[in-house]
Amino acid sequence: NSMLDNLVTGGAVIGVSVPDFVLGLLLMLLFSAYLGWLPPTGSSQWRHLIMPAMTLSAAYLANFARLIRSNMLSVASEDFMRTARAKGLLSAAVIWRHGLPNAILPLITLVGVQFGRLLGGAIIVETIFAWPGLGRYMIDGLMARDYNVVQGCVLVFGITVVLCNTLAEIVGGLVDPRTTRGR
């Protein structure tokens, strides 16, 4: 319940609440129209990538922050955490070496599951920011009624989601302290 905790929680609520297309347009309005710091569309320079990356990452970072916070709060009251503190370990060592590995497991699974949503959001963000990518290529294929392009894009998206979910499960199994203690 510190000031930083309240700030991060408030930012997470805002990040989860604002849809990608609204956030993208608001970022364009702020950073391109009012401040003039960033170009609104295009893909020729690294500066063109900043607003699309901010738009895509906002909701995910908010979800991840909320999940880690709730998991750390639940892990903090566990017996192994009290034992680590009773052994005289520093608070930072208890959090980083004992708490975080146990609290991060659901996050690894969530990253794999959310990757499909990221691809769907990327389609919208690529269209808003005129960023050339597979999502925009698929939208152009839909508009031109080129169903082979749409089927190919859906196949690539599906394979990518399956591979990311599989990778998340493998990494989760490797990171899980309950499965790595015997090694």
Side-chain angles (χ1 to χ4, degrees):
N1 290 325
S2 67
M3 177 96 157
L4 179 64
D5 182 40
N6 291 333
L7 185 68
V8 169
T9 303
V13 168
I14 291 170
V16 169
S17 303
V18 179
D20 288 345
F21 64 92
V22 173
L23 181 61
L25 294 174
L26 289 174
L27 289 175
M28 277 180 154
L29 186 68
L30 176 66
F31 290 113
S32 294
Y34 290 148
L35 299 174
W37 290 351
L38 297 170
T41 60
S43 62
S44 61
Q45 300 174 1
W46 65 270
R47 294 174 0 129
H48 291 104
L49 186 60
I50 294 173
M51 284 194 296
M54 288 171 53
T55 303
L56 278 176
S57 65
Y60 300 102
L61 291 176
N63 277 331
F64 299 159
R66 291 176 60 211
L67 182 69
I68 286 291
R69 181 185 184 277
S70 66
N71 286 343
M72 283 300 290
L73 289 175
S74 67
V75 166
S77 62
E78 294 288 330
D79 290 337
F80 68 90
M81 294 289 282
R82 282 194 295 267
T83 303
R85 283 190 203 98
K87 286 174 28 180
L89 292 175
L90 296 174
S91 180
V94 171
I95 290 171
W96 287 100
R97 291 183 66 208
H98 298 285
L100 194 60
N102 287 288
I104 205 164
L105 292 174
L107 178 69
I108 293 169
T109 304
L110 183 66
V111 167
V113 171
Q114 291 289 331
F115 197 79
R117 184 173 163 233
L118 176 66
L119 291 175
I123 293 170
I124 294 168
V125 171
E126 287 172 4
T127 304
I128 290 172
F129 290 103
W131 187 264
L134 194 58
R136 186 168 164 151
Y137 183 60
M138 186 171 85
I139 294 295
D140 292 343
L142 276 170
M143 295 300 170
R145 296 181 190 260
D146 188 355
Y147 298 117
N148 291 329
V149 168
V150 175
Q151 286 177 339
C153 291
V154 168
L155 180 66
V156 170
F157 285 156
I159 290 171
T160 305
V161 168
V162 168
L163 289 175
C164 286
N165 285 334
T166 304
L167 184 64
E169 290 297 323
I170 291 170
V171 170
L174 293 173
V175 172
D176 191 353
R178 294 171 294 189
T179 60
T180 59
R181 286 197 177 121
R183 294 182 197 169

